[in-house]
């Protein structure tokens, strides 16, 4: 039998925690305060007349508002463009590299191109300028360094006052990008107000998110209907309706008359309380004798978010709401589980 091979010389595992010094609360607080000071410098020195001119130019645009930038400024430009799109404003991000390889074909003479650059000397943007100008585009630069090349090459320049970067070397773009984002998002909200965007219009642009669902979905869109309803008649014995009570996933029985008018509700909690209080007598009790005759209800055209608020309202929260029409005829049930599953 041969000898065993020597054991492999495996590297030692990394330490459980990085061997760095701890950051004190005092240090972190001083950084936040320093950043706050840099942002205050921006607010105190921003030329509002130029900011207003920029905002009105975007408001009166007859074409697409394109945004472009490189690196961190590019991320900010893309985000601001997406914010405008979510407000129903025709906007798009234009990569300066892709633009020079065919994407500039998207530009037309009715469009605006907004170029974000801290220094105003970004080579990729400078190469884009003559090509965009040849398409008749209106050019706007958003920069922070005074008297820069990009500003001189554009039709309008917005100067974002920058005291310095929070970075100890004054190099990492952590303050300049913050003021770019604050500026762009504030302008976006100004455009939102000027265009009189309604809550319903905003929701229509966010159908899959919680914002849109809370403003679009109605009770009728989420409620259980017909065969899904745990219904029983007022004269039915409680013990005869246990399968109906437990099989529909609602935790209740909806008590109705022959014309489907809602008479009351009987929950699994009511079952436990009745069993505890009545013992064997429960076998002779009807649902109608022990049901809640004044349950909370809601109409089918109410907003789904209103149903959730009604479930959570005092004196105690409930897990479901019967859905009735104006004649108190039962047409459905909406449950807390159904609302949560719908993303509300």
């Amino acid at each position: 039998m041969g000898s065993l091979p020597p054991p492999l010389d495996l590297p030692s595992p990394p330490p459980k925690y990085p061997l760095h010094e701890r950051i004190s609360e005092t240090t972190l607080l001083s950084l936040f305060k320093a950043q706050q000071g840099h942002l205050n410098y921006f607010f105190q020195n921003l030329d509002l007349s130029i900011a207003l001119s920029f905002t009105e130019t975007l408001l009166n645009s007859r074409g697409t508002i394109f945004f472009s930038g490189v690196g961190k400024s590019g991320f900010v430009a893309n985000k601001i463009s997406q914010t405008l799109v979510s407000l129903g404003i025709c906007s798009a991000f234009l990569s300066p590299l892709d633009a020079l390889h065919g994407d500039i074909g998207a530009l037309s003479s009715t469009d605006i191109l907004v170029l974000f650059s801290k220094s105003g000397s970004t080579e990729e943007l400078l190469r884009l300028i003559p090509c965009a100008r040849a398409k008749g585009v209106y050019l706007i630069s958003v920069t922070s360094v005074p008297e820069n090349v990009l500003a001189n090459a554009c039709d309008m320049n917005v100067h974002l006052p920058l005291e310095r970067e929070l970075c100890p070397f004054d190099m990492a773009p952590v303050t300049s990008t913050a003021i770019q984002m604050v500026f762009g998002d504030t302008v976006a909200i100004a455009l939102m107000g000027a265009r009189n965007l309604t809550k319903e219009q905003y929701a229509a642009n966010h159908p899959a998110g919680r914002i849109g669902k809370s403003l679009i979905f109605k009770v009728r869109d989420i409620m259980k209907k017909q065969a899904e309803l745990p219904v029983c008649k007022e004269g039915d014995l409680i013990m005869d309706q246990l399968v109906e009570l437990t099989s529909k996933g609602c935790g209740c029985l909806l008590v109705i008359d022959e014309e489907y008018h809602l008479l009351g509700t009987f929950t699994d909690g009511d079952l436990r309380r009745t069993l505890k209080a009545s013992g064997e007598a429960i076998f002779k009790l009807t649902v109608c004798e022990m049901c809640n005759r004044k349950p909370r209800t809601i109409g089918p055209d109410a907003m789904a978010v209103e149903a959730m608020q009604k479930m959570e309202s005092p004196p105690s929260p409930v897990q479901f709401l019967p859905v009735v029409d104006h004649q108190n005829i039962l047409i459905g049930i909406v449950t807390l589980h159904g609302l949560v599953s719908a993303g509300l």
Side-chain angles (χ1 to χ4, degrees), residues 207-228:
R210 189 178 184 191
I211 296 172
K213 289 176 180 178
S214 66
L215 297 173
I216 294 176
F217 280 14
K218 294 187 176 182
V219 168
R220 67 168 66 253
D221 300 320
I222 299 174
M223 69 182 188
K224 293 186 176 186
K225 310 169 187 176
Q226 301 171 352
E228 299 177 288

Side-chain angles (χ1 to χ4, degrees), residues 75-156:
F75 289 125
V76 173
N78 194 5
K79 190 273 177 188
I80 295 170
S81 173
Q82 291 303 310
T83 298
L84 294 188
V85 170
S86 75
L87 301 178
I89 299 172
C90 191
S91 181
F93 177 75
L94 181 67
S95 163
L97 178 61
D98 293 337
L100 298 180
H101 291 273
D103 284 5
I104 200 169
L107 300 180
S108 71
S109 59
T110 60
D111 297 334
I112 296 172
L113 177 57
V114 183
L115 305 168
F116 275 80
S117 171
K118 170 189 171 181
S119 66
S121 60
T122 308
E123 292 184 9
E124 294 87 345
L125 297 182
L126 293 174
R127 287 199 297 268
L128 178 59
I129 292 246
C131 306
R133 191 170 292 287
K135 304 280 288 186
V137 176
Y138 189 80
L139 297 168
I140 304 176
S141 59
V142 180
T143 61
S144 289
V145 174
E147 300 300 324
N148 61 79
V149 180
L150 190 64
N152 293 332
C154 290
D155 301 299
M156 176 190 295

Side-chain angles (χ1 to χ4, degrees), residues 20-311:
H20 298 305
E21 294 183 6
R22 291 175 58 85
I23 299 174
S24 69
E25 183 177 309
T26 302
T27 300
L28 189 60
L29 178 61
S30 67
L31 288 171
F32 278 124
K33 287 185 175 180
Q35 184 76 310
Q36 181 182 34
H38 299 330
L39 293 176
N40 287 339
Y41 177 87
F42 161 74
F43 290 121
Q44 293 163 4
N45 291 278
L46 178 66
D47 188 333
L48 286 179
S49 64
I50 295 297
L52 179 60
S53 179
F54 172 78
T55 306
E56 290 179 335
T57 300
L58 300 194
L59 179 64
N60 296 320
S61 171
R62 294 179 293 111
T64 301
I65 304 171
F66 286 93
F67 289 81
S68 190
V70 176
K72 310 299 185 297
S73 294
F75 289 125
V76 173
N78 194 5
K79 190 273 177 188
I80 295 170
S81 173
Q82 291 303 310
T83 298
L84 294 188
V85 170
S86 75
L87 301 178
I89 299 172
C90 191
S91 181
F93 177 75
L94 181 67
S95 163
L97 178 61
D98 293 337
L100 298 180
H101 291 273
D103 284 5
I104 200 169
L107 300 180
S108 71
S109 59
T110 60
D111 297 334
I112 296 172
L113 177 57
V114 183
L115 305 168
F116 275 80
S117 171
K118 170 189 171 181
S119 66
S121 60
T122 308
E123 292 184 9
E124 294 87 345
L125 297 182
L126 293 174
R127 287 199 297 268
L128 178 59
I129 292 246
C131 306
R133 191 170 292 287
K135 304 280 288 186
V137 176
Y138 189 80
L139 297 168
I140 304 176
S141 59
V142 180
T143 61
S144 289
V145 174
E147 300 300 324
N148 61 79
V149 180
L150 190 64
N152 293 332
C154 290
D155 301 299
M156 176 190 295
N157 177 65
V158 179
H159 176 70
L160 303 185
L162 175 65
E163 186 176 30
R164 60 160 289 140
E165 299 286 3
L166 183 63
C167 166
F169 310 123
D170 194 18
M171 296 178 68
V174 291
T175 303
S176 56
T177 50
I179 64 177
Q180 287 174 347
M181 190 75 79
V182 167
F183 174 77
D185 282 347
T186 304
V187 168
I189 299 305
L191 295 174
M192 181 182 183
R195 291 164 62 92
N196 296 315
L197 187 73
T198 66
K199 187 182 290 187
E200 290 71 25
Q201 290 171 325
Y202 183 74
N205 296 333
H206 299 75
R210 189 178 184 191
I211 296 172
K213 289 176 180 178
S214 66
L215 297 173
I216 294 176
F217 280 14
K218 294 187 176 182
V219 168
R220 67 168 66 253
D221 300 320
I222 299 174
M223 69 182 188
K224 293 186 176 186
K225 310 169 187 176
Q226 301 171 352
E228 299 177 288
L229 302 182
V231 295
C232 69
K233 300 296 177 60
E234 56 183 324
D236 292 340
L237 293 174
I238 292 175
M239 300 308 291
D240 291 342
Q241 295 300 316
L242 291 185
V243 173
E244 188 74 7
L245 175 62
T246 58
S247 63
K248 299 295 178 67
C250 298
C252 69
L253 289 170
L254 305 174
V255 188
I256 57 173
D257 63 15
E258 296 296 334
E259 286 77 36
Y260 243 71
H261 291 104
L262 180 69
L263 302 178
T265 60
F266 184 84
T267 68
D268 48 11
D270 292 327
L271 174 63
R272 290 191 294 271
R273 286 186 287 272
T274 302
L275 182 59
K276 183 177 180 180
S278 305
E280 293 183 3
I282 194 173
F283 289 97
K284 297 180 181 180
L285 293 175
T286 64
V287 176
C288 193
E289 291 178 86
M290 305 305 297
C291 73
N292 175 15
R293 288 283 186 168
K294 294 182 179 180
R296 299 178 206 178
T297 62
I298 197 164
D301 293 320
M303 302 305 295
V305 68
E306 181 184 337
M308 179 169 284
Q309 292 168 352
K310 200 166 189 178
M311 288 182 190

